[in-house]
PDB file of all heavy atoms in Angstrom:
ATOM      1  N   HIS X1061      92.843 100.310 113.099  1.00  0.00           N
ATOM      2  CA  HIS X1061      94.197 100.622 113.557  1.00  0.00           C
ATOM      3  C   HIS X1061      95.255  99.817 112.802  1.00  0.00           C
ATOM      4  O   HIS X1061      96.402  99.720 113.231  1.00  0.00           O
ATOM      5  CB  HIS X1061      94.324 100.369 115.062  1.00  0.00           C
ATOM      6  CG  HIS X1061      93.961  98.975 115.496  1.00  0.00           C
ATOM      7  ND1 HIS X1061      92.654  98.540 115.542  1.00  0.00           N
ATOM      8  CD2 HIS X1061      94.729  97.931 115.894  1.00  0.00           C
ATOM      9  CE1 HIS X1061      92.638  97.280 115.955  1.00  0.00           C
ATOM     10  NE2 HIS X1061      93.886  96.886 116.159  1.00  0.00           N
ATOM     11  N   HIS X1062      94.852  99.243 111.655  1.00  0.00           N
ATOM     12  CA  HIS X1062      95.739  98.448 110.801  1.00  0.00           C
ATOM     13  C   HIS X1062      95.451  98.883 109.361  1.00  0.00           C
ATOM     14  O   HIS X1062      94.319  99.253 109.041  1.00  0.00           O
ATOM     15  CB  HIS X1062      95.406  96.960 110.999  1.00  0.00           C
ATOM     16  CG  HIS X1062      96.307  96.013 110.263  1.00  0.00           C
ATOM     17  ND1 HIS X1062      96.156  95.752 108.908  1.00  0.00           N
ATOM     18  CD2 HIS X1062      97.355  95.258 110.679  1.00  0.00           C
ATOM     19  CE1 HIS X1062      97.077  94.880 108.535  1.00  0.00           C
ATOM     20  NE2 HIS X1062      97.823  94.560 109.582  1.00  0.00           N
ATOM     21  N   PRO X1063      96.439  98.859 108.488  1.00  0.00           N
ATOM     22  CA  PRO X1063      96.196  99.313 107.109  1.00  0.00           C
ATOM     23  C   PRO X1063      95.023  98.616 106.420  1.00  0.00           C
ATOM     24  O   PRO X1063      94.259  99.263 105.690  1.00  0.00           O
ATOM     25  CB  PRO X1063      97.522  98.995 106.409  1.00  0.00           C
ATOM     26  CG  PRO X1063      98.545  99.055 107.489  1.00  0.00           C
ATOM     27  CD  PRO X1063      97.873  98.540 108.719  1.00  0.00           C
ATOM     28  N   SER X1064      94.856  97.318 106.653  1.00  0.00           N
ATOM     29  CA  SER X1064      93.725  96.596 106.036  1.00  0.00           C
ATOM     30  C   SER X1064      92.395  97.154 106.507  1.00  0.00           C
ATOM     31  O   SER X1064      91.425  97.231 105.739  1.00  0.00           O
ATOM     32  CB  SER X1064      93.807  95.104 106.354  1.00  0.00           C
ATOM     33  OG  SER X1064      94.965  94.538 105.785  1.00  0.00           O
ATOM     34  N   GLU X1065      92.337  97.541 107.783  1.00  0.00           N
ATOM     35  CA  GLU X1065      91.097  98.082 108.337  1.00  0.00           C
ATOM     36  C   GLU X1065      90.826  99.483 107.787  1.00  0.00           C
ATOM     37  O   GLU X1065      89.671  99.840 107.518  1.00  0.00           O
ATOM     38  CB  GLU X1065      91.188  98.098 109.864  1.00  0.00           C
ATOM     39  CG  GLU X1065      91.250  96.708 110.459  1.00  0.00           C
ATOM     40  CD  GLU X1065      91.694  96.664 111.907  1.00  0.00           C
ATOM     41  OE1 GLU X1065      92.143  97.699 112.441  1.00  0.00           O
ATOM     42  OE2 GLU X1065      91.603  95.582 112.522  1.00  0.00           O
ATOM     43  N   ILE X1066      91.874 100.276 107.617  1.00  0.00           N
ATOM     44  CA  ILE X1066      91.702 101.606 107.009  1.00  0.00           C
ATOM     45  C   ILE X1066      91.210 101.462 105.573  1.00  0.00           C
ATOM     46  O   ILE X1066      90.320 102.195 105.123  1.00  0.00           O
ATOM     47  CB  ILE X1066      93.018 102.406 107.085  1.00  0.00           C
ATOM     48  CG1 ILE X1066      93.371 102.703 108.547  1.00  0.00           C
ATOM     49  CG2 ILE X1066      92.906 103.713 106.294  1.00  0.00           C
ATOM     50  CD1 ILE X1066      94.756 103.301 108.745  1.00  0.00           C
ATOM     51  N   ASN X1067      91.766 100.501 104.836  1.00  0.00           N
ATOM     52  CA  ASN X1067      91.298 100.239 103.477  1.00  0.00           C
ATOM     53  C   ASN X1067      89.822  99.858 103.463  1.00  0.00           C
ATOM     54  O   ASN X1067      89.066 100.267 102.573  1.00  0.00           O
ATOM     55  CB  ASN X1067      92.120  99.120 102.834  1.00  0.00           C
ATOM     56  CG  ASN X1067      93.507  99.582 102.414  1.00  0.00           C
ATOM     57  OD1 ASN X1067      93.710 100.750 102.101  1.00  0.00           O
ATOM     58  ND2 ASN X1067      94.462  98.674 102.422  1.00  0.00           N
ATOM     59  N   ALA X1068      89.404  99.061 104.450  1.00  0.00           N
ATOM     60  CA  ALA X1068      88.000  98.644 104.523  1.00  0.00           C
ATOM     61  C   ALA X1068      87.095  99.835 104.801  1.00  0.00           C
ATOM     62  O   ALA X1068      86.009  99.956 104.216  1.00  0.00           O
ATOM     63  CB  ALA X1068      87.833  97.581 105.615  1.00  0.00           C
ATOM     64  N   VAL X1069      87.528 100.746 105.685  1.00  0.00           N
ATOM     65  CA  VAL X1069      86.756 101.958 105.951  1.00  0.00           C
ATOM     66  C   VAL X1069      86.659 102.798 104.678  1.00  0.00           C
ATOM     67  O   VAL X1069      85.581 103.292 104.322  1.00  0.00           O
ATOM     68  CB  VAL X1069      87.387 102.786 107.097  1.00  0.00           C
ATOM     69  CG1 VAL X1069      86.726 104.158 107.204  1.00  0.00           C
ATOM     70  CG2 VAL X1069      87.260 102.036 108.425  1.00  0.00           C
ATOM     71  N   HIS X1070      87.772 102.936 103.979  1.00  0.00           N
ATOM     72  CA  HIS X1070      87.768 103.718 102.741  1.00  0.00           C
ATOM     73  C   HIS X1070      86.790 103.142 101.720  1.00  0.00           C
ATOM     74  O   HIS X1070      86.001 103.877 101.110  1.00  0.00           O
ATOM     75  CB  HIS X1070      89.182 103.780 102.151  1.00  0.00           C
ATOM     76  CG  HIS X1070      89.261 104.560 100.878  1.00  0.00           C
ATOM     77  ND1 HIS X1070      89.200 103.962  99.630  1.00  0.00           N
ATOM     78  CD2 HIS X1070      89.345 105.900 100.651  1.00  0.00           C
ATOM     79  CE1 HIS X1070      89.271 104.888  98.712  1.00  0.00           C
ATOM     80  NE2 HIS X1070      89.367 106.076  99.288  1.00  0.00           N
ATOM     81  N   GLN X1071      86.816 101.815 101.543  1.00  0.00           N
ATOM     82  CA  GLN X1071      85.911 101.175 100.585  1.00  0.00           C
ATOM     83  C   GLN X1071      84.458 101.435 100.966  1.00  0.00           C
ATOM     84  O   GLN X1071      83.620 101.766 100.114  1.00  0.00           O
ATOM     85  CB  GLN X1071      86.198  99.664 100.538  1.00  0.00           C
ATOM     86  CG  GLN X1071      85.358  98.892  99.521  1.00  0.00           C
ATOM     87  CD  GLN X1071      84.023  98.400 100.069  1.00  0.00           C
ATOM     88  OE1 GLN X1071      83.913  98.070 101.247  1.00  0.00           O
ATOM     89  NE2 GLN X1071      83.006  98.361  99.224  1.00  0.00           N
ATOM     90  N   ALA X1072      84.154 101.287 102.256  1.00  0.00           N
ATOM     91  CA  ALA X1072      82.773 101.476 102.716  1.00  0.00           C
ATOM     92  C   ALA X1072      82.326 102.924 102.561  1.00  0.00           C
ATOM     93  O   ALA X1072      81.191 103.200 102.151  1.00  0.00           O
ATOM     94  CB  ALA X1072      82.652 101.036 104.174  1.00  0.00           C
ATOM     95  N   VAL X1073      83.212 103.876 102.869  1.00  0.00           N
ATOM     96  CA  VAL X1073      82.871 105.296 102.731  1.00  0.00           C
ATOM     97  C   VAL X1073      82.579 105.634 101.273  1.00  0.00           C
ATOM     98  O   VAL X1073      81.576 106.293 100.949  1.00  0.00           O
ATOM     99  CB  VAL X1073      84.009 106.194 103.265  1.00  0.00           C
ATOM    100  CG1 VAL X1073      83.770 107.651 102.870  1.00  0.00           C
ATOM    101  CG2 VAL X1073      84.111 106.102 104.773  1.00  0.00           C
ATOM    102  N   ARG X1074      83.434 105.179 100.375  1.00  0.00           N
ATOM    103  CA  ARG X1074      83.239 105.489  98.952  1.00  0.00           C
ATOM    104  C   ARG X1074      81.968 104.830  98.410  1.00  0.00           C
ATOM    105  O   ARG X1074      81.292 105.393  97.546  1.00  0.00           O
ATOM    106  CB  ARG X1074      84.453 105.024  98.140  1.00  0.00           C
ATOM    107  CG  ARG X1074      85.759 105.733  98.477  1.00  0.00           C
ATOM    108  CD  ARG X1074      85.701 107.236  98.294  1.00  0.00           C
ATOM    109  NE  ARG X1074      87.031 107.854  98.422  1.00  0.00           N
ATOM    110  CZ  ARG X1074      87.246 109.144  98.572  1.00  0.00           C
ATOM    111  NH1 ARG X1074      86.223 109.988  98.629  1.00  0.00           N
ATOM    112  NH2 ARG X1074      88.478 109.618  98.683  1.00  0.00           N
ATOM    113  N   GLU X1075      81.648 103.635  98.931  1.00  0.00           N
ATOM    114  CA  GLU X1075      80.452 102.945  98.470  1.00  0.00           C
ATOM    115  C   GLU X1075      79.181 103.632  98.966  1.00  0.00           C
ATOM    116  O   GLU X1075      78.208 103.784  98.218  1.00  0.00           O
ATOM    117  CB  GLU X1075      80.476 101.492  98.978  1.00  0.00           C
ATOM    118  CG  GLU X1075      79.302 100.634  98.518  1.00  0.00           C
ATOM    119  CD  GLU X1075      79.438  99.199  98.986  1.00  0.00           C
ATOM    120  OE1 GLU X1075      79.369  98.945 100.207  1.00  0.00           O
ATOM    121  OE2 GLU X1075      79.625  98.329  98.130  1.00  0.00           O
ATOM    122  N   MET X1076      79.189 104.047 100.227  1.00  0.00           N
ATOM    123  CA  MET X1076      77.982 104.610 100.829  1.00  0.00           C
ATOM    124  C   MET X1076      77.864 106.124 100.642  1.00  0.00           C
ATOM    125  O   MET X1076      76.773 106.682 100.763  1.00  0.00           O
ATOM    126  CB  MET X1076      77.938 104.273 102.326  1.00  0.00           C
ATOM    127  CG  MET X1076      77.780 102.790 102.591  1.00  0.00           C
ATOM    128  SD  MET X1076      76.234 102.155 101.900  1.00  0.00           S
ATOM    129  CE  MET X1076      76.511 100.388 102.001  1.00  0.00           C
ATOM    130  N   HIS X1077      78.990 106.798 100.366  1.00  0.00           N
ATOM    131  CA  HIS X1077      78.980 108.266 100.202  1.00  0.00           C
ATOM    132  C   HIS X1077      79.726 108.644  98.929  1.00  0.00           C
ATOM    133  O   HIS X1077      80.740 109.367  98.981  1.00  0.00           O
ATOM    134  CB  HIS X1077      79.600 108.937 101.427  1.00  0.00           C
ATOM    135  CG  HIS X1077      78.928 108.578 102.715  1.00  0.00           C
ATOM    136  ND1 HIS X1077      77.771 109.178 103.154  1.00  0.00           N
ATOM    137  CD2 HIS X1077      79.240 107.636 103.652  1.00  0.00           C
ATOM    138  CE1 HIS X1077      77.405 108.638 104.298  1.00  0.00           C
ATOM    139  NE2 HIS X1077      78.273 107.705 104.618  1.00  0.00           N
ATOM    140  N   PRO X1078      79.258 108.179  97.776  1.00  0.00           N
ATOM    141  CA  PRO X1078      79.975 108.437  96.524  1.00  0.00           C
ATOM    142  C   PRO X1078      80.040 109.928  96.202  1.00  0.00           C
ATOM    143  O   PRO X1078      79.130 110.691  96.520  1.00  0.00           O
ATOM    144  CB  PRO X1078      79.145 107.674  95.487  1.00  0.00           C
ATOM    145  CG  PRO X1078      77.776 107.542  96.095  1.00  0.00           C
ATOM    146  CD  PRO X1078      77.997 107.441  97.573  1.00  0.00           C
ATOM    147  N   ASN X1079      81.156 110.322  95.633  1.00  0.00           N
ATOM    148  CA  ASN X1079      81.366 111.687  95.127  1.00  0.00           C
ATOM    149  C   ASN X1079      81.436 112.738  96.232  1.00  0.00           C
ATOM    150  O   ASN X1079      81.329 113.934  95.957  1.00  0.00           O
ATOM    151  CB  ASN X1079      80.267 112.074  94.118  1.00  0.00           C
ATOM    152  CG  ASN X1079      80.154 111.065  92.988  1.00  0.00           C
ATOM    153  OD1 ASN X1079      81.165 110.641  92.440  1.00  0.00           O
ATOM    154  ND2 ASN X1079      78.931 110.671  92.667  1.00  0.00           N
TER     155      ASN X1079
END
Side-chain angles (χ1 to χ4, degrees):
H1061 56 286
H1062 184 281
S1064 296
E1065 294 165 350
I1066 295 171
N1067 285 331
V1069 170
H1070 180 264
Q1071 183 272 327
V1073 169
R1074 296 302 189 194
E1075 182 177 67
M1076 294 299 167
H1077 303 279
N1079 306 315

